[in-house]
Amino acid sequence: MPPATPTDGARAPVMTDVARRAGVSHQTVSRVLNGHPSIRPETRERVQRAIDELGYRRNRAARALVTRRTLTVGVVASSTSLFGPSSTLHGVERAAHAAGYATILSTSDATDRDGVLACVAQLSDRGVDGLLLTAPLHEVPDLREHLPADLPTVCATGGPVTGLPSVHVDHRAGARAVTELLLRQGHREVRHVGGSPGWFEAVEREGGWRDALAAAGVAPARVLAGGWGAADGYVAGLALADDPATTAVVAANDQLALGLLRALRERGVDVPGRVSVTGFDDAPESAYLSPPLTTVRQDLERVGREAVGLLLERLAGGVATAPEHRVVEPGLVVRASTAAPPR
């Protein structure tokens, strides 16, 4: 059934029209629009179908006057040019919009307290109903003490933040899994190209690499300085090309691995014949590199969705039904960039 778009002289559909079409109460429609966790999925679907059929749109200004809410969520993010942060942000925006909330973004490349809190202050001044923090917060362990007490806040960052509900990928488990793959293939000189300092993801991925080597009784070699960009991986790759002992490399993300592959190819080092290379992220282009990249897949859309769900529970005054810190498990994706070491 097509949306009932009002013509000249016809009134726009209101909430009671939606309730009548869906066969529910006015209060139930309100709860669905506000993302209340107590609504059954079939009821939520029926109400959403009625909204779509009628072409109902909420009057944000009128609602804000009554409820003192703006139906906006403030998002503190780091550079959105990186695959991980941009994917998380996409999941946050889709989930927020599906629940009827707009998002206001404030970005900062600073990972210290002042940089994060400057973004928080900016969003608080805009009157947002709640905050989602997706910027790296590894250097801000006491952040909760400096946030507005009346502003519900949830983190969708690399790891848990003391005193705040959060959703994050188990980066340590992902790096451990990909390192264990290389060890099973017979590699013993497995190097690591690290991520940017100050990022929880970089610390945990290095930790997972170290865990796997320690469990196998292999002493770790010096970590190669990296970052998050392909240029950083290229520099590390040039250094590794001159190291005949290295037969495998765990890069902290796929962009680093891309730079590694370019440098090794230029130096005539076969991948995976002489050196196996792995990444982390499973960015869309990783399956099309030469060779296709073995990597770790993160469900960052899910991280964003679950973070929004946690925030909506708090905005609705409900109690979270899941632990304060939700962990999303990564998955290993094995492709042609890894193989047994040369004899």
Side-chain angles (χ1 to χ4, degrees):
M1 183 182 300
T5 304
T7 57
D8 291 343
R11 68 173 177 83
V14 295
M15 197 179 295
T16 52
D17 298 323
V18 175
R20 190 178 303 113
R21 174 69 69 97
V24 299
S25 68
H26 178 278
Q27 290 84 355
T28 297
V29 175
S30 178
R31 290 191 183 101
V32 169
L33 291 170
N34 289 316
H36 200 283
S38 67
I39 301 298
R40 291 179 298 182
E42 58 269 25
T43 302
R44 190 182 305 276
E45 183 179 348
R46 192 161 73 248
V47 171
Q48 188 59 55
R49 186 164 57 247
I51 289 171
D52 294 340
E53 291 172 353
L54 292 172
Y56 171 74
R57 295 293 181 269
R58 283 196 281 188
N59 186 325
R60 290 180 178 270
R63 185 183 185 280
L65 288 173
V66 175
T67 65
R68 296 186 179 181
R69 287 190 178 178
T70 61
L71 289 178
T72 56
V73 171
V75 183
V76 178
S78 61
S79 172
T80 54
S81 63
L82 297 172
F83 174 76
S86 64
S87 298
T88 303
L89 181 60
H90 183 59
V92 165
E93 289 181 325
R94 287 186 61 181
H97 295 171
Y101 281 77
T103 55
I104 301 177
L105 179 65
S106 181
T107 61
S108 173
D109 288 327
T111 60
D112 61 357
R113 180 190 300 143
D114 290 343
V116 173
L117 291 180
C119 293
V120 170
Q122 180 187 66
L123 293 169
S124 180
D125 289 345
R126 298 287 295 274
V128 296
D129 296 331
L131 286 174
L132 277 166
L133 308 181
T134 68
L137 303 171
H138 183 62
E139 295 181 0
V140 199
D142 58 345
L143 179 64
R144 183 68 189 96
E145 300 173 13
H146 303 275
L147 293 173
D150 59 346
L151 199 57
T153 302
V154 171
C155 296
T157 59
V161 177
T162 303
L164 291 173
S166 66
V167 184
H168 61 92
V169 170
D170 192 340
H171 300 277
R172 200 177 193 100
R176 185 170 59 245
V178 77
T179 307
E180 288 171 345
L181 167 70
L182 295 169
L183 293 169
R184 288 195 303 272
Q185 290 176 332
H187 296 277
R188 284 299 176 267
E189 187 69 22
V190 181
R191 300 295 297 273
H192 180 60
V193 181
S196 294
W199 287 64
F200 188 93
E201 292 89 337
V203 173
E204 288 298 285
R205 292 173 194 178
E206 180 181 332
W209 166 75
R210 290 186 182 278
D211 289 347
L213 294 181
V218 176
R222 178 180 59 85
V223 174
L224 288 151
W228 294 128
D232 302 309
Y234 179 80
V235 172
L238 293 178
L240 286 171
D242 296 328
D243 179 8
T246 296
T247 62
V249 188
V250 173
N253 76 346
D254 288 355
Q255 286 298 307
L256 286 169
L258 171 62
L260 278 164
L261 291 174
R262 170 67 182 270
L264 294 174
R265 185 180 303 112
E266 286 184 358
R267 290 295 182 89
V269 177
D270 181 62
V271 177
R274 221 270 286 156
V275 176
S276 290
V277 175
T278 71
F280 201 114
D281 279 341
D282 195 27
E285 62 270 20
S286 298
Y288 301 95
L289 298 179
S290 181
L293 185 65
T294 293
T295 185
V296 178
R297 177 176 296 154
Q298 306 182 78
D299 191 347
L300 296 172
E301 288 264 342
R302 180 182 165 192
V303 170
R305 287 196 309 271
E306 294 212 15
V308 170
L310 275 177
L311 183 60
L312 293 180
E313 287 177 4
R314 281 147 182 80
L315 291 175
V319 177
T321 57
E324 285 286 301
H325 301 300
R326 300 183 186 178
V327 179
V328 175
E329 295 298 329
L332 182 61
V333 182
V334 181
R335 298 193 179 105
S337 67
T338 51
R343 292 185 179 276

